[in-house]
């Protein structure tokens, strides 16, 4: 590249502004090369700004595009409003299903506990039905407030011992 | 337009930034005004990057669709040019990135001149233009973007730097190198 005013010239986007620059106007008076560069540079920019290489949009095409933009924006807006609602409903359903599942699972756990209890009793007693009745009786007796004296308790124990 | 004036909305007396503010505040008609002001500029910029009419049209629609949806992000403390061209630049970059394979297969739209121009003049002008545009296409992407934004779209160095998310000195350097490359083709 040369040592003329290229750097200074390329700072301008309009010819008039460049010519108002004292340094440029003084320089091109004596420098044919920079005078030509100035003309070429602004012609090139002008040609590029109005280049027929770039197709033009017709008014009808612009209107069609605008309608398309508005309808697409409306579709996206609807999606944007509907989506959070769908997510909220889905989340509620998941929470309810989870709660139901946990509740059922909890009952199953309780039932399993009872089954284990019965199984342990079964190990010690061949007749499970009788054992279970005795256990029930014991529970009942232990909860009775009428057991107030030791004699009654001992009698009860004897009955139990006999039965066992 | 008369109805809009009746509502105290006279776009002819308003800057782009003022219209954008009205749009952000919910004035739907302001969007149409912005569209009419910028649609051809966005299209030509998109065309320079894609060299295909349909693609440039798609990008243009996407730019305005985003403007419609992202209106709340507009900050009046930042120049409207910076906001708008950044949106445009991002749309173009995204599109190019997503369609890199198909873009190279695009056929450029043929050039047509007015009927008053002689075939010789047409051929000469066509050749000159093709050379200039070809040289522009051959520029590295950042040089090309900086040149288009500053020299063709008329953005200041500062606005160009903000759109490209870089500093002014880098932009000046990019534009200088791009200008030298383009001017060299003209000297040939």
């Amino acid at each position: 590249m040369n040592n003329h005013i290229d750097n200074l010239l390329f700072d301008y986007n309009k010819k008039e502004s460049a010519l108002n620059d004292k340094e440029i106007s003084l320089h091109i008076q004596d420098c044919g090369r920079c005078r030509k560069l100035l003309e070429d540079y602004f012609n090139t920019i002008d040609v590029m700004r109005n280049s027929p290489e770039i197709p033009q949009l017709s008014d009808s095409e612009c209107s069609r595009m605008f309608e398309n933009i508005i309808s697409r924006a409306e579709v996206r807006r609807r999606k944007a409003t509907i989506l959070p609602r769908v997510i909220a409903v889905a989340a509620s359903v998941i929470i309810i299903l989870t709660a139901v599942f946990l509740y059922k699972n909890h009952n199953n756990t309780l039932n399993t506990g009872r089954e284990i209890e019965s199984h342990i009793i079964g190990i010690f007693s061949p007749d499970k039905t009788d054992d279970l009745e005795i256990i029930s009786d014991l529970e009942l007796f232990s909860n009775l407030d009428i057991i107030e004296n030791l004699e009654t308790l001992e009698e009860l124990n004897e009955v139990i011992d006999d039965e066992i | 337009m008369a109805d809009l004036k009746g509502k105290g909305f006279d776009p002819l007396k308003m800057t782009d930034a003022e219209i954008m503010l009205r749009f952000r505040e919910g004035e739907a008609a302001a969007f149409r005004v912005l569209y009419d002001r910028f649609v051809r500029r966005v299209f030509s910029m998109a065309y320079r990057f894609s060299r295909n009419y349909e693609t440039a049209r798609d990008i243009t629609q996407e730019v305005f669709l985003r403007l419609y949806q992202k209106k709340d992000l507009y900050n009046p403390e930042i120049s409207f040019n910076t906001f708008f061209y950044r949106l445009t630049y991002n749309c173009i970059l995204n599109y190019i990135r997503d369609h890199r394979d198909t873009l190279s297969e695009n056929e450029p739209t043929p050039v047509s001149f007015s009927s008053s121009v002689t075939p010789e003049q047409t051929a000469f002008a066509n050749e000159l233009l093709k050379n200039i545009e070809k040289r522009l296409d051959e520029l590295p992407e950042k040089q090309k973007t900086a040149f288009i934004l500053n020299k063709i779209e008329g953005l200041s160095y500062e606005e160009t730097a903000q759109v490209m998310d870089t500093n002014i000195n880098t932009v000046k350097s990019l534009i200088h190198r791009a200008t030298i490359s383009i001017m060299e083709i003209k000297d040939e």
Side-chain angles (χ1 to χ4, degrees):
Chain A
M1 216 50 208
N2 53 66
N3 294 316
H4 297 281
I5 54 162
D6 302 17
N7 287 351
L8 191 58
L9 191 59
F10 294 160
D11 270 348
Y12 289 97
N13 290 350
K14 287 183 181 170
K15 192 176 174 181
E16 302 76 45
S17 311
L19 290 173
N20 282 337
D21 187 308
K22 279 186 183 174
E23 196 178 336
I24 292 175
S25 59
L26 277 175
H27 183 86
I28 59 170
Q29 282 175 8
D30 301 322
C31 181
R33 182 259 178 210
C34 285
R35 201 162 45 243
K36 186 177 181 305
L37 179 68
L38 181 137
E39 290 299 324
D40 287 349
Y41 169 66
F42 287 110
N43 282 342
T44 303
I45 290 181
D46 194 44
V47 161
M48 290 175 90
R49 281 181 186 155
N50 305 296
S51 172
E53 279 269 308
I54 310 294
Q56 296 298 308
L57 287 171
S58 66
D59 288 346
S60 58
E61 183 68 10
C62 286
S63 296
R64 262 199 304 276
M65 284 166 65
F66 184 78
E67 284 163 18
N68 191 27
I69 290 163
I70 296 297
S71 62
R72 282 171 65 189
E74 187 59 24
V75 169
R76 288 195 189 178
R77 191 190 63 77
R78 277 187 204 150
K79 276 186 186 171
T81 0
I82 289 169
L83 192 64
R85 290 181 189 173
V86 171
I87 291 171
V89 170
S92 306
V93 169
I94 289 169
I95 289 168
I96 292 165
L97 289 176
T98 309
V100 169
F101 173 78
L102 289 174
Y103 177 75
K104 282 189 173 178
N105 201 29
H106 180 66
N107 283 348
N108 285 342
T109 311
L110 288 177
N111 290 338
T112 312
R114 285 184 186 136
E115 283 167 14
I116 293 167
E117 190 180 30
S118 306
H119 181 69
I120 292 167
I121 293 163
I123 292 169
F124 296 106
S125 171
D127 191 351
K128 292 176 186 174
T129 315
D130 291 347
D131 290 343
L132 285 173
E133 281 176 8
I134 294 162
I135 296 290
S136 300
D137 290 342
L138 282 170
E139 284 174 352
L140 178 66
F141 293 143
S142 64
N143 290 327
L144 285 174
D145 292 336
I146 56 168
I147 307 170
E148 289 177 351
N149 59 65
L150 188 58
E151 282 181 11
T152 315
L153 185 60
E154 281 172 354
E155 283 173 14
L156 282 171
N157 280 337
E158 281 169 13
V159 171
I160 292 164
D161 287 343
D162 289 344
E163 286 187 347
I164 291 174
Chain B
M1 205 63 88
D3 292 336
L4 296 173
K5 283 180 184 175
K7 290 180 193 174
F9 179 60
D10 185 1
L12 293 175
K13 293 177 183 172
M14 293 170 78
T15 64
D16 301 331
E18 287 168 340
I19 293 171
M20 183 64 209
L21 270 179
R22 293 295 290 261
F23 175 48
R24 196 185 74 171
E25 288 161 5
E27 181 72 67
F31 180 68
R32 179 71 205 219
V33 178
L34 286 173
Y35 177 81
D36 289 340
R37 282 191 187 183
F38 284 93
V39 64
R40 288 182 170 85
R41 285 157 75 174
V42 172
F43 176 81
S44 67
M45 191 171 160
Y47 187 84
R48 282 183 200 281
F49 280 92
S50 65
R51 293 288 166 201
N52 180 271
Y53 184 88
E54 306 295 330
T55 305
R57 205 181 52 183
D58 287 349
I59 294 172
T60 305
Q61 291 185 91
E62 188 60 32
V63 167
F64 284 98
L65 193 57
R66 285 208 198 172
L67 179 69
Y68 193 93
Q69 293 173 317
K70 312 249 179 196
K71 62 178 185 292
D72 295 333
L73 297 180
Y74 174 62
N75 177 2
E77 288 173 9
I78 299 170
S79 97
F80 176 77
N81 271 347
T82 303
F83 171 76
F84 185 73
Y85 279 98
R86 186 162 190 148
L87 194 78
T88 306
Y89 177 56
N90 286 339
C91 279
I92 291 171
L93 284 189
N94 287 343
Y95 198 96
I96 289 172
R97 193 184 55 221
D98 295 344
H99 300 82
R100 199 172 288 280
D101 296 337
T102 48
L103 277 178
S104 56
E105 295 164 6
N106 284 341
E107 283 294 318
T109 309
V111 184
S112 57
F113 289 92
S114 91
S115 55
S116 60
V117 181
T118 66
E120 291 78 21
Q121 285 173 321
T122 303
F124 177 76
N126 229 334
E127 194 58 34
L128 181 68
L129 268 169
K130 274 186 180 169
N131 280 338
I132 293 172
E133 295 286 350
K134 183 169 172 273
R135 185 51 76 121
L136 183 66
D137 284 345
E138 286 171 353
L139 290 174
E141 192 177 282
K142 286 194 173 177
Q143 279 188 36
K144 183 178 175 178
T145 306
F147 186 88
I148 290 173
L149 288 173
N150 180 256
K151 299 295 176 197
I152 298 175
E153 296 301 325
L155 268 65
S156 67
Y157 285 132
E158 189 182 359
E159 287 173 333
T160 306
Q162 285 171 347
V163 169
M164 295 180 69
D165 202 17
T166 185
N167 60 60
I168 292 180
N169 287 336
T170 305
V171 160
K172 281 184 178 176
S173 167
L174 288 168
I175 293 169
H176 185 76
R177 278 183 280 153
T179 311
I180 287 170
S181 297
I182 288 167
M183 294 307 294
E184 276 175 355
I185 191 76
K186 227 176 159 244
D187 288 339
E188 282 174 6

